[in-house]
Amino acid sequence: MINRRNFLGLGLGALAVVAIPGKLSAIDFRETMPKAWTATKVDDAVKEIFGSTATTEGSINLSAPDIAENGAVIPVSFDTELKATKVAVFQDANPESAVAVFTIPENAVIDYAIRIKLAKTGTVTVIAEADGKLYSVSKLVKVTIGGCGG
């Protein structure tokens, strides 16, 4: 005979199995595109990831502070209505330009927030690939020492 505790445990276990996606997939861009992660110029990293550097400005909203008091934890968020298949974040203040690459599932909402490091003042760029075209947006972030703003 099954008691209530065992029944609940089995029910929750069955629910967990049903909730697991049928197929999880992730691309390890560090393995498949190693030159993108060692590129010291944004254009070189963009070309490695997307195959081209020709972008159209706009269609992406980028939020980052104008002045960052701590270059170790700079909040960056971006969103777009584009039906993008891939989105990447770059910066030109650190030795390696590529920050992150996201593969976007079909019909996903693109509204991401991350924290990045900048060694010094630099430009953050987000590029999205949709319908075979590249769209970009950039913002200069001034990194101050001690938050003096000078």
Side-chain angles (χ1 to χ4, degrees), residues 15-147:
L15 182 62
V17 168
V18 171
I20 295 173
K23 180 181 176 187
L24 293 176
S25 66
I27 298 171
D28 183 352
F29 286 105
R30 291 195 184 271
E31 184 179 307
T32 59
M33 300 176 184
K35 290 181 182 177
W37 302 99
T38 58
T40 58
K41 292 186 172 30
V42 171
D43 281 349
D44 294 343
V46 171
K47 187 157 186 151
E48 285 295 321
I49 292 170
F50 294 105
S52 172
T53 58
T55 63
T56 302
E57 286 287 323
S59 300
I60 305 169
N61 301 311
L62 172 61
S63 177
D66 294 326
I67 298 174
E69 296 179 4
N70 183 352
V73 287
I74 299 173
V76 173
S77 61
F78 56 91
D79 64 86
T80 183
E81 295 293 322
L82 292 170
K83 299 296 180 200
T85 56
K86 190 185 316 179
V87 178
V89 181
F90 304 92
Q91 55 68 44
D92 64 0
N94 299 336
E96 290 86 21
S97 297
V99 175
V101 181
F102 303 94
T103 52
I104 311 297
E106 189 175 340
N107 297 321
V109 174
I110 302 172
D111 188 357
Y112 289 20
I114 61 175
R115 294 190 181 269
I116 68 172
K117 283 185 175 185
L118 292 179
K120 59 186 179 185
T121 297
T123 301
V124 176
T125 302
V126 176
I127 297 178
E129 182 177 42
D131 299 322
K133 296 179 183 175
L134 298 180
Y135 299 86
S136 69
V137 64
S138 297
K139 182 170 184 181
L140 180 68
V141 177
K142 184 175 181 183
V143 176
T144 62
I145 297 174

